[in-house]
mmCIF file of all heavy atoms in Angstrom:
data_model
loop_
_atom_site.group_PDB
_atom_site.id
_atom_site.type_symbol
_atom_site.label_atom_id
_atom_site.label_comp_id
_atom_site.label_asym_id
_atom_site.label_seq_id
_atom_site.Cartn_x
_atom_site.Cartn_y
_atom_site.Cartn_z
ATOM 1 N N PHE T 102 281.164 -70.734 -108.920
ATOM 2 C CA PHE T 102 280.560 -70.534 -110.217
ATOM 3 C C PHE T 102 279.348 -71.437 -110.401
ATOM 4 O O PHE T 102 278.329 -71.020 -110.820
ATOM 5 C CB PHE T 102 281.603 -70.835 -111.303
ATOM 6 C CG PHE T 102 281.221 -70.435 -112.710
ATOM 7 C CD1 PHE T 102 280.124 -69.594 -112.977
ATOM 8 C CD2 PHE T 102 282.032 -70.839 -113.781
ATOM 9 C CE1 PHE T 102 279.823 -69.224 -114.252
ATOM 10 C CE2 PHE T 102 281.694 -70.468 -115.047
ATOM 11 C CZ PHE T 102 280.588 -69.706 -115.324
ATOM 12 N N ALA T 103 279.449 -72.678 -109.987
ATOM 13 C CA ALA T 103 278.355 -73.596 -110.107
ATOM 14 C C ALA T 103 277.164 -73.177 -109.236
ATOM 15 O O ALA T 103 276.002 -73.277 -109.664
ATOM 16 C CB ALA T 103 278.788 -75.052 -109.706
ATOM 17 N N GLU T 104 277.429 -72.602 -108.099
ATOM 18 C CA GLU T 104 276.326 -72.122 -107.192
ATOM 19 C C GLU T 104 275.551 -71.025 -107.930
ATOM 20 O O GLU T 104 274.310 -70.943 -107.739
ATOM 21 C CB GLU T 104 276.872 -71.544 -105.886
ATOM 22 C CG GLU T 104 277.320 -72.674 -104.974
ATOM 23 C CD GLU T 104 277.964 -72.181 -103.666
ATOM 24 O OE1 GLU T 104 277.786 -70.944 -103.372
ATOM 25 O OE2 GLU T 104 278.623 -72.975 -102.973
ATOM 26 N N VAL T 105 276.182 -70.171 -108.717
ATOM 27 C CA VAL T 105 275.487 -69.091 -109.416
ATOM 28 C C VAL T 105 274.515 -69.776 -110.423
ATOM 29 O O VAL T 105 273.327 -69.383 -110.519
ATOM 30 C CB VAL T 105 276.470 -68.186 -110.128
ATOM 31 C CG1 VAL T 105 275.717 -67.234 -111.097
ATOM 32 C CG2 VAL T 105 277.291 -67.376 -109.128
ATOM 33 N N LEU T 106 275.007 -70.766 -111.147
ATOM 34 C CA LEU T 106 274.115 -71.436 -112.125
ATOM 35 C C LEU T 106 273.076 -72.251 -111.455
ATOM 36 O O LEU T 106 271.932 -72.299 -111.967
ATOM 37 C CB LEU T 106 275.016 -72.302 -113.038
ATOM 38 C CG LEU T 106 276.012 -71.556 -113.902
ATOM 39 C CD1 LEU T 106 276.921 -72.534 -114.677
ATOM 40 C CD2 LEU T 106 275.316 -70.571 -114.828
ATOM 41 N N ASP T 107 273.342 -72.842 -110.328
ATOM 42 C CA ASP T 107 272.282 -73.608 -109.557
ATOM 43 C C ASP T 107 271.156 -72.639 -109.123
ATOM 44 O O ASP T 107 270.012 -72.918 -109.202
ATOM 45 C CB ASP T 107 272.889 -74.319 -108.381
ATOM 46 C CG ASP T 107 273.618 -75.590 -108.747
ATOM 47 O OD1 ASP T 107 273.238 -76.242 -109.823
ATOM 48 O OD2 ASP T 107 274.427 -76.039 -107.969
ATOM 49 N N ALA T 108 271.652 -71.481 -108.581
ATOM 50 C CA ALA T 108 270.591 -70.487 -108.153
ATOM 51 C C ALA T 108 269.810 -70.003 -109.319
ATOM 52 O O ALA T 108 268.574 -69.823 -109.216
ATOM 53 C CB ALA T 108 271.338 -69.280 -107.509
ATOM 54 N N ALA T 109 270.439 -69.818 -110.483
ATOM 55 C CA ALA T 109 269.671 -69.364 -111.650
ATOM 56 C C ALA T 109 268.679 -70.430 -112.069
ATOM 57 O O ALA T 109 267.539 -70.184 -112.477
ATOM 58 C CB ALA T 109 270.633 -69.090 -112.849
ATOM 59 N N SER T 110 269.067 -71.729 -112.010
ATOM 60 C CA SER T 110 268.212 -72.825 -112.349
ATOM 61 C C SER T 110 266.958 -72.862 -111.407
ATOM 62 O O SER T 110 265.863 -73.079 -111.818
ATOM 63 C CB SER T 110 268.972 -74.196 -112.239
ATOM 64 O OG SER T 110 268.112 -75.244 -112.379
ATOM 65 N N GLN T 111 267.251 -72.693 -110.121
ATOM 66 C CA GLN T 111 266.165 -72.623 -109.121
ATOM 67 C C GLN T 111 265.184 -71.457 -109.442
ATOM 68 O O GLN T 111 263.989 -71.531 -109.274
ATOM 69 C CB GLN T 111 266.669 -72.559 -107.733
ATOM 70 C CG GLN T 111 267.398 -73.835 -107.343
ATOM 71 C CD GLN T 111 268.206 -73.742 -106.082
ATOM 72 O OE1 GLN T 111 268.125 -72.682 -105.392
ATOM 73 N NE2 GLN T 111 268.964 -74.705 -105.772
ATOM 74 N N ALA T 112 265.742 -70.285 -109.772
ATOM 75 C CA ALA T 112 264.940 -69.110 -110.111
ATOM 76 C C ALA T 112 264.026 -69.381 -111.318
ATOM 77 O O ALA T 112 262.812 -68.984 -111.348
ATOM 78 C CB ALA T 112 265.861 -67.885 -110.307
ATOM 79 N N VAL T 113 264.621 -70.080 -112.343
ATOM 80 C CA VAL T 113 263.771 -70.378 -113.464
ATOM 81 C C VAL T 113 262.603 -71.352 -113.095
ATOM 82 O O VAL T 113 261.500 -71.163 -113.519
ATOM 83 C CB VAL T 113 264.708 -71.025 -114.609
ATOM 84 C CG1 VAL T 113 263.857 -71.665 -115.747
ATOM 85 C CG2 VAL T 113 265.675 -70.031 -115.157
ATOM 86 N N MET T 114 262.976 -72.369 -112.250
ATOM 87 C CA MET T 114 261.902 -73.290 -111.822
ATOM 88 C C MET T 114 260.875 -72.602 -110.994
ATOM 89 O O MET T 114 259.711 -73.019 -111.027
ATOM 90 C CB MET T 114 262.505 -74.482 -111.067
ATOM 91 C CG MET T 114 263.265 -75.486 -111.979
ATOM 92 S SD MET T 114 262.226 -76.159 -113.284
ATOM 93 C CE MET T 114 261.193 -77.262 -112.329
ATOM 94 N N ALA T 115 261.192 -71.559 -110.318
ATOM 95 C CA ALA T 115 260.239 -70.831 -109.480
ATOM 96 C C ALA T 115 259.205 -70.161 -110.372
ATOM 97 O O ALA T 115 258.060 -69.910 -109.849
ATOM 98 C CB ALA T 115 260.935 -69.796 -108.655
ATOM 99 N N GLU T 116 259.486 -69.888 -111.666
ATOM 100 C CA GLU T 116 258.485 -69.403 -112.548
ATOM 101 C C GLU T 116 257.304 -70.310 -112.648
ATOM 102 O O GLU T 116 256.187 -69.873 -112.920
ATOM 103 C CB GLU T 116 259.139 -69.148 -113.947
ATOM 104 C CG GLU T 116 260.151 -68.088 -114.004
ATOM 105 C CD GLU T 116 260.753 -67.990 -115.395
ATOM 106 O OE1 GLU T 116 260.087 -68.279 -116.396
ATOM 107 O OE2 GLU T 116 261.934 -67.538 -115.489
ATOM 108 N N LEU T 117 257.553 -71.640 -112.470
ATOM 109 C CA LEU T 117 256.353 -72.552 -112.552
ATOM 110 C C LEU T 117 255.385 -72.344 -111.461
ATOM 111 O O LEU T 117 254.259 -72.857 -111.588
ATOM 112 C CB LEU T 117 256.920 -74.028 -112.603
ATOM 113 C CG LEU T 117 257.801 -74.404 -113.840
ATOM 114 C CD1 LEU T 117 258.284 -75.812 -113.598
ATOM 115 C CD2 LEU T 117 256.984 -74.298 -115.109
ATOM 116 N N ASP T 118 255.763 -71.680 -110.417
ATOM 117 C CA ASP T 118 254.837 -71.434 -109.311
ATOM 118 C C ASP T 118 253.886 -70.312 -109.580
ATOM 119 O O ASP T 118 252.953 -70.085 -108.797
ATOM 120 C CB ASP T 118 255.644 -71.139 -107.997
ATOM 121 C CG ASP T 118 256.427 -72.331 -107.492
ATOM 122 O OD1 ASP T 118 256.025 -73.469 -107.911
ATOM 123 O OD2 ASP T 118 257.459 -72.088 -106.828
ATOM 124 N N GLN T 119 254.094 -69.567 -110.707
ATOM 125 C CA GLN T 119 253.197 -68.478 -111.018
ATOM 126 C C GLN T 119 251.887 -68.998 -111.521
ATOM 127 O O GLN T 119 251.864 -70.068 -112.187
ATOM 128 C CB GLN T 119 253.851 -67.582 -112.097
ATOM 129 C CG GLN T 119 255.160 -67.010 -111.782
ATOM 130 C CD GLN T 119 255.101 -66.120 -110.548
ATOM 131 O OE1 GLN T 119 254.245 -65.380 -110.397
ATOM 132 N NE2 GLN T 119 256.107 -66.339 -109.607
ATOM 133 N N PRO T 120 250.798 -68.374 -111.107
ATOM 134 C CA PRO T 120 249.409 -68.957 -111.416
ATOM 135 C C PRO T 120 249.147 -69.087 -112.907
ATOM 136 O O PRO T 120 248.372 -69.948 -113.326
ATOM 137 C CB PRO T 120 248.466 -67.940 -110.760
ATOM 138 C CG PRO T 120 249.285 -66.769 -110.421
ATOM 139 C CD PRO T 120 250.761 -67.118 -110.394
ATOM 140 N N ASP T 121 249.740 -68.216 -113.717
ATOM 141 C CA ASP T 121 249.414 -68.201 -115.208
ATOM 142 C C ASP T 121 250.382 -69.055 -115.982
ATOM 143 O O ASP T 121 250.311 -69.006 -117.224
ATOM 144 C CB ASP T 121 249.292 -66.775 -115.691
ATOM 145 C CG ASP T 121 250.612 -66.050 -115.575
ATOM 146 O OD1 ASP T 121 251.410 -66.410 -114.709
ATOM 147 O OD2 ASP T 121 250.863 -65.112 -116.336
ATOM 148 N N VAL T 122 251.245 -69.828 -115.292
ATOM 149 C CA VAL T 122 252.227 -70.608 -116.052
ATOM 150 C C VAL T 122 251.956 -72.120 -115.976
ATOM 151 O O VAL T 122 251.554 -72.600 -114.930
ATOM 152 C CB VAL T 122 253.682 -70.361 -115.449
ATOM 153 C CG1 VAL T 122 254.671 -71.223 -116.108
ATOM 154 C CG2 VAL T 122 254.050 -68.907 -115.559
ATOM 155 N N ASP T 123 252.019 -72.809 -117.071
ATOM 156 C CA ASP T 123 251.742 -74.172 -117.126
ATOM 157 C C ASP T 123 252.828 -74.972 -116.388
ATOM 158 O O ASP T 123 253.995 -74.758 -116.638
ATOM 159 C CB ASP T 123 251.742 -74.650 -118.656
ATOM 160 C CG ASP T 123 251.511 -76.154 -118.785
ATOM 161 O OD1 ASP T 123 251.234 -76.833 -117.781
ATOM 162 O OD2 ASP T 123 251.706 -76.619 -119.908
ATOM 163 N N ASP T 124 252.425 -75.808 -115.444
ATOM 164 C CA ASP T 124 253.371 -76.595 -114.617
ATOM 165 C C ASP T 124 254.290 -77.494 -115.426
ATOM 166 O O ASP T 124 255.308 -77.903 -115.024
ATOM 167 C CB ASP T 124 252.612 -77.494 -113.643
ATOM 168 C CG ASP T 124 251.938 -76.689 -112.518
ATOM 169 O OD1 ASP T 124 252.344 -75.538 -112.304
ATOM 170 O OD2 ASP T 124 251.018 -77.285 -111.909
ATOM 171 N N TYR T 125 253.883 -77.756 -116.668
ATOM 172 C CA TYR T 125 254.638 -78.730 -117.489
ATOM 173 C C TYR T 125 255.300 -77.960 -118.676
ATOM 174 O O TYR T 125 255.629 -78.613 -119.730
ATOM 175 C CB TYR T 125 253.802 -79.819 -117.989
ATOM 176 C CG TYR T 125 253.172 -80.622 -116.863
ATOM 177 C CD1 TYR T 125 251.931 -80.356 -116.420
ATOM 178 C CD2 TYR T 125 253.997 -81.497 -116.153
ATOM 179 C CE1 TYR T 125 251.399 -81.093 -115.334
ATOM 180 C CE2 TYR T 125 253.500 -82.247 -115.119
ATOM 181 C CZ TYR T 125 252.224 -82.007 -114.678
ATOM 182 O OH TYR T 125 251.667 -82.696 -113.631
ATOM 183 N N ASP T 126 255.510 -76.626 -118.574
ATOM 184 C CA ASP T 126 256.107 -75.818 -119.639
ATOM 185 C C ASP T 126 257.486 -76.397 -119.967
ATOM 186 O O ASP T 126 258.459 -76.326 -119.123
ATOM 187 C CB ASP T 126 256.170 -74.399 -119.235
ATOM 188 C CG ASP T 126 256.671 -73.471 -120.341
ATOM 189 O OD1 ASP T 126 257.708 -73.728 -120.876
ATOM 190 O OD2 ASP T 126 255.928 -72.554 -120.663
ATOM 191 N N PHE T 127 257.595 -76.902 -121.177
ATOM 192 C CA PHE T 127 258.891 -77.544 -121.579
ATOM 193 C C PHE T 127 260.062 -76.526 -121.665
ATOM 194 O O PHE T 127 261.169 -76.894 -121.202
ATOM 195 C CB PHE T 127 258.705 -78.189 -122.941
ATOM 196 C CG PHE T 127 259.950 -78.802 -123.500
ATOM 197 C CD1 PHE T 127 260.388 -80.063 -123.008
ATOM 198 C CD2 PHE T 127 260.679 -78.205 -124.482
ATOM 199 C CE1 PHE T 127 261.570 -80.644 -123.488
ATOM 200 C CE2 PHE T 127 261.878 -78.732 -124.929
ATOM 201 C CZ PHE T 127 262.294 -79.992 -124.419
#
């Protein structure tokens, strides 16, 4: 169960790699 949430957390952080997203988006 925790692995699912960890993977989701990583997927959310991957959004910061998008060119139009602020690296410090709170």
Side-chain angles (χ1 to χ4, degrees):
F102 191 11
E104 285 177 16
V105 171
L106 296 175
D107 281 336
S110 174
Q111 292 168 9
V113 168
M114 285 302 287
E116 291 178 29
L117 293 176
D118 294 335
Q119 301 302 316
D121 60 336
V122 176
D123 177 10
D124 289 341
Y125 301 100
D126 186 304
F127 177 77

